[in-house]
Amino acid sequence: MANSKYEYVKSFEVEDEIMFPSLIVVRIDGRDFRRFCAVHEFEKPNDENGQNLMNACAAAVLEEYPDIVFSYGYSNEYSFVFKKTTKFYQRRASKMLSLVVSFFTSVYAAKWKDFFCQKELSYPPSFCARVVCCASIEVLQAYLAWRQINCHTSNQYDTCFWFLVKSGKTQSEAQEILQGTQKQEKNELLFQQFGVNYKNLPEMFRQGSCLFKIQVEDIVKYNENGMPVRRLRRKAKIVHSENVSGRSFWNEHPSLLTELGGFAEDIGKIKPEYVRSFLFENKLMASTWIVIRIDGCHFHRFSEVHEFEKPNDEQALNLMNSCAVAVLEEFQDIIFSYGASDEYSFVLKMDSQLYHRRASGLVSAIVSFFSATYIVKWKEFFPQKALKYSPSFDGRAVCYPSSKILRDYLSWRQVDCHINNQYNTCFWMLVKSGKSKTEAQTYLKGTQTREKNDLLLQQFGIDYSKLPVMFRHGSSVFRVKEENNVTHENENGASFAKPQSRVTLEHCNIIEDSFWKAHPSILN
């Protein structure tokens, strides 16, 4: 990380480590998925392809992150359980939930065509996530029982509701008929009116799906004689059980006993409020600027695999910028963002109540939407390159108490952009000239700004100040007011003009006062 007078802003970052011996669960839920399902015309009450896509994404998450040993999901939610000894990203809640939700969302967008070959993805899907800290194995057992009971209750209601609607009832009439009905009454309604035995409906919808890893023998390569080379690898397996929190189910799978522990006895009645008390909630301080910063996870590898131009790939940066513009258009409470390389910082207005200022909701929603948008827009910027695997981003939320400190934070990121870009430009020019990466690092060690500029000019004929401003200054995304106002009518029929705004992208110096004086509405 670059050193500058703005480094002090790092002191506002708060650690959110989850201490041992708590078991960690990350639960993701579809964000506004009722609308998503309606727009994409999912079958009601359950869309088999939609559920299979969710399950495929969960399997990909388990295979991507070895520390996740079990997951349970239904409809548009999934819970991922980490092994009890995990030290994944030092058990920091924001890192864990943002990486899981980002990767899940990326896979969802990337695999869409595998399950809906005849349907276009109309807009990027997104998910919210939260962390549940299970203080003991008994709390985990109660949590899983709670989610499976909710699966059954929700699915039984939805099945009755949509059968009634398809039979000619309005949605209001269907709701009225089902109000106050018990489990047995719903079963009788389905059987007597529609000839449907609820217990014969697919297990995936009634019981949900659980995944854990088993060892399978896989062909990893072929030797020079053409013979297959086989190795054991851990692969996610999907099963359906009527009681995922029961001792009998747990005891059938030794890996779960080893990685998580066993259940002493079967569980009785669940009190949801008891389980909810273990939700890890970090509500951010009122009347402060909230910054959500996201960073590409292992993007050095991602850029190498996809052969990004070094030191800067213009199309890759344009893709990041396009995603940031989409985020501002999606979340009206975000007033400004700044990005460079594979990171972006999103600033929410000081009085924002988005997600009730819960860090988990803000971080997960933004990183998830950004990830899906990155996948959806990939072909727009790389029409000749196949996306070889799904990228992911991690995120964090930080509060800054004043506009001055917020500006210092943004200045810190822009200084960092300049220092890193100048170093990388020198480094890759040296490598391209024939030096090894180690030799280039040694050559640049201890050099100052002036020396790097001289190196570029004298050895490679490059005037650093003439390089594209996007590489040197990064990118700023914000709203500007339109000249034309739109006329609306209030409750009394009186007309009034409502100012309109549009999201714009600029590459400029945000350290100096001139930018903020030219755009006073951003921090107003």
Side-chain angles (χ1 to χ4, degrees):
M1 193 66 73
N3 292 317
S4 71
K5 67 178 183 180
Y6 305 111
E7 290 278 305
Y8 80 93
V9 297
K10 289 195 288 186
S11 65
F12 289 90
E13 296 181 9
V14 178
E15 294 299 330
D16 54 356
E17 179 184 353
I18 299 170
M19 304 304 292
F20 286 103
S22 291
L23 293 162
I24 300 172
V25 178
V26 172
R27 185 169 97 225
I28 69 167
D29 294 272
R31 178 175 164 265
D32 196 13
F33 247 58
R34 285 187 185 276
R35 172 174 167 259
F36 184 84
C37 294
V39 168
H40 292 93
E41 298 178 340
F42 278 17
E43 182 67 28
K44 299 294 185 183
N46 295 293
D47 190 293
E48 189 172 355
N49 286 336
Q51 198 59 56
N52 285 333
L53 173 55
M54 289 288 294
N55 293 344
C57 295
V61 169
L62 260 72
E63 291 173 7
E64 177 74 8
Y65 301 114
D67 277 22
I68 297 177
V69 295
F70 182 78
S71 66
Y72 172 77
Y74 66 95
S75 186
N76 63 343
E77 81 162 55
Y78 244 103
S79 298
F80 297 95
V81 186
F82 286 77
K83 64 182 182 182
K84 59 187 173 185
T85 58
T86 185
K87 293 182 181 177
F88 185 69
Y89 281 91
Q90 294 78 51
R91 298 172 67 92
R92 287 155 60 192
S94 58
K95 286 275 191 180
M96 298 175 84
L97 76 87
S98 60
L99 281 172
V100 170
V101 76
S102 173
F103 186 74
F104 189 100
T105 311
S106 290
V107 175
Y108 193 100
K111 284 183 176 288
W112 174 266
K113 276 296 182 184
D114 294 346
F115 294 86
F116 294 101
C117 55
Q118 303 300 321
K119 287 184 181 179
E120 288 298 321
L121 189 58
S122 299
Y123 63 90
S126 56
F127 297 80
C128 284
R130 57 179 53 190
V131 170
V132 185
C133 303
C134 298
S136 64
I137 188 67
E138 289 76 22
V139 176
L140 175 63
Q141 184 183 24
Y143 173 82
L144 293 174
W146 173 44
R147 298 324 300 150
Q148 189 164 42
I149 290 170
N150 201 62
C151 166
H152 163 69
T153 304
S154 301
N155 184 67
Q156 190 188 42
Y157 179 93
D158 289 345
T159 303
C160 293
F161 177 85
W162 286 107
F163 266 98
L164 287 167
V165 170
K166 289 175 181 179
S167 72
K169 302 289 184 187
T170 65
Q171 293 193 15
S172 297
E173 288 171 337
Q175 288 171 344
E176 191 174 338
I177 290 169
L178 293 172
Q179 188 173 7
T181 55
Q182 302 301 309
K183 173 183 174 180
Q184 187 59 37
E185 293 172 294
K186 292 186 181 76
N187 282 342
E188 289 175 0
L189 182 152
L190 286 172
F191 189 73
Q192 291 172 9
Q193 290 196 36
F194 306 107
V196 173
N197 186 337
Y198 182 75
K199 291 184 179 179
N200 292 337
L201 293 178
E203 294 175 325
M204 177 169 66
F205 303 140
R206 293 184 293 108
Q207 301 170 355
S209 304
C210 50
L211 292 90
F212 50 89
K213 282 173 272 196
I214 58 171
Q215 283 198 330
V216 297
E217 195 177 64
D218 227 355
I219 298 174
V220 294
K221 62 179 181 178
Y222 292 88
N223 63 22
E224 34 186 57
N225 299 321
M227 298 296 291
V229 178
R230 301 176 185 275
R231 286 183 190 158
L232 288 175
R233 63 185 288 262
R234 292 170 71 80
K235 190 172 182 180
K237 177 185 178 182
I238 298 178
V239 299
H240 303 102
S241 169
E242 63 181 0
N243 187 5
V244 297
S245 61
R247 282 185 305 166
S248 59
F249 173 78
W250 220 249
N251 291 338
E252 289 174 3
H253 308 292
S255 63
L256 300 180
L257 297 174
T258 302
E259 301 287 11
L260 294 169
F263 299 147
E265 56 186 33
D266 286 325
I267 199 163
K269 190 175 180 180
I270 302 298
K271 292 183 178 179
E273 59 273 16
Y274 166 75
V275 184
R276 290 193 192 99
S277 69
F278 292 94
L279 288 175
F280 186 88
E281 294 292 8
N282 181 13
K283 194 168 183 180
L284 300 172
M285 189 179 296
S287 301
T288 58
W289 297 105
I290 299 172
V291 173
I292 307 298
R293 186 164 96 231
I294 70 171
D295 294 271
C297 182
H298 302 309
F299 251 59
H300 280 294
R301 173 175 170 260
F302 183 84
S303 61
E304 286 177 6
V305 168
H306 292 92
E307 299 176 340
F308 283 5
E309 181 66 28
K310 300 295 185 181
N312 294 290
D313 189 296
E314 188 173 359
Q315 286 300 89
L317 290 173
N318 286 334
L319 172 55
M320 289 287 294
N321 294 341
S322 181
C323 294
V325 169
V327 169
L328 260 75
E329 290 172 342
E330 177 74 8
F331 299 96
Q332 294 300 308
D333 276 21
I334 298 176
I335 55 166
F336 184 82
S337 66
Y338 173 78
S341 186
D342 63 339
E343 79 164 54
Y344 245 102
S345 297
F346 297 95
V347 182
L348 282 87
K349 60 185 182 182
M350 186 176 272
D351 61 351
S352 173
Q353 291 301 315
L354 186 62
Y355 291 103
H356 307 289
R357 299 179 75 89
R358 283 190 294 104
S360 60
L362 292 167
V363 170
S364 60
I366 291 170
V367 78
S368 175
F369 186 80
F370 191 99
S371 302
T373 306
Y374 194 96
I375 300 291
V376 170
K377 288 178 174 284
W378 175 267
K379 276 295 181 186
E380 183 181 331
F381 292 89
F382 294 103
Q384 305 304 320
K385 282 185 182 178
L387 186 62
K388 296 183 179 179
Y389 67 90
S390 299
S392 58
F393 298 82
D394 66 64
R396 69 182 70 183
V398 188
C399 293
Y400 298 102
S402 70
S403 297
K404 177 189 180 303
I405 297 173
L406 172 65
R407 280 188 54 185
D408 283 352
Y409 167 81
L410 295 170
S411 298
W412 171 48
R413 301 318 307 140
Q414 190 162 54
V415 168
D416 203 55
C417 166
H418 159 69
I419 294 175
N420 290 337
N421 183 64
Q422 189 187 46
Y423 178 93
N424 289 335
T425 304
C426 293
F427 176 85
W428 285 106
M429 291 308 300
L430 288 168
V431 169
K432 289 175 181 179
S433 72
K435 292 189 182 296
S436 68
K437 290 182 179 181
T438 302
E439 288 172 334
Q441 288 171 340
T442 303
Y443 191 95
L444 292 171
K445 189 174 182 180
T447 55
Q448 303 300 310
T449 297
R450 189 181 192 86
E451 295 169 290
K452 293 187 182 76
N453 282 341
D454 290 343
L455 181 154
L456 288 171
L457 189 61
Q458 293 168 13
Q459 291 197 35
F460 306 107
I462 295 174
D463 183 346
Y464 182 77
S465 65
K466 298 289 177 62
L467 291 178
V469 68
M470 177 169 65
F471 303 158
R472 294 181 290 112
H473 282 335
S475 303
S476 298
V477 183
F478 52 95
R479 290 186 181 82
V480 293
K481 289 181 180 178
E482 299 273 28
E483 291 184 6
N484 297 325
N485 294 333
V486 175
T487 303
H488 296 268
E489 286 189 359
N490 63 20
E491 296 175 352
N492 301 319
S495 297
F496 67 96
K498 186 176 181 181
Q500 297 297 292
S501 64
R502 61 179 171 83
V503 177
T504 188
L505 169 71
E506 290 187 13
H507 312 294
C508 49
N509 187 333
I510 60 172
I511 298 174
E512 302 297 331
D513 289 339
S514 56
F515 172 81
W516 302 101
K517 287 179 180 177
H519 305 286
S521 62
I522 295 174
L523 300 183
N524 189 344

